[in-house]
Amino acid sequence: MAKADIEITLQGGADGFAAPEYAPGDNISGAVSVFPDSNVKCQHFYIKLAWHTEGRGTRYQETIEELDVFQGELQAGMPRSFEFDFRVPAEPWSFAGRYVSVVWQIEAQVDVSWAKDPKAAAPFVLRPSVTPSPAKSW
């Protein structure tokens, strides 16, 4: 069975209450580190920029961008790190409601044959950009 711990580190963005905050058009970058407990034959190692809904009703999910950063064997006890850089789209904005929520995240997935894929996710907030309006002179 493939076993690997995955850590995702996000860079940039503003400090948010629960997660980093990014505005449309911002770059979200960082690194994904994988720590295999045993040798893992990796068909693909994906890093994705994605969002999904949570709550009542049908769950909707969409991958905005996907990187295939590695194919081969991850060796036990040999951590590997992969960098990523995505441009955050304009919408949909993050939302936490009573009945439905929109959740943005960076996802990492090791695609292995005939086993459960090791996965991890790091949430972030996509908020509207706040630009101060120019002062009016009367």
Side-chain angles (χ1 to χ4, degrees), residues 9 17 77 90 125:
T9 305
F17 176 69
V125 174

Side-chain angles (χ1 to χ4, degrees), residues 66-110:
E66 176 179 274
L67 301 174
D68 188 352
V69 294
F70 180 77
Q71 297 172 359
E73 187 165 1
L74 297 170
Q75 296 178 351
M78 298 290 292
R80 296 286 306 262
S81 185
F82 305 95
E83 294 182 357
F84 63 88
D85 186 30
F86 298 116
R87 181 165 306 276
V88 179
E91 58 187 28
W93 296 338
S94 297
F95 178 77
R98 183 176 187 164
Y99 298 110
V100 69
S101 297
V102 175
V103 179
W104 279 91
Q105 60 191 17
I106 298 295
E107 302 172 354
Q109 175 185 356
V110 179

Side-chain angles (χ1 to χ4, degrees), residues 113-133:
S113 295
W114 301 96
K116 186 175 180 181
D117 293 347
K119 298 178 184 180
F124 67 92
V125 174
L126 173 57
R127 58 164 172 73
S129 58
V130 181
T131 55
S133 57

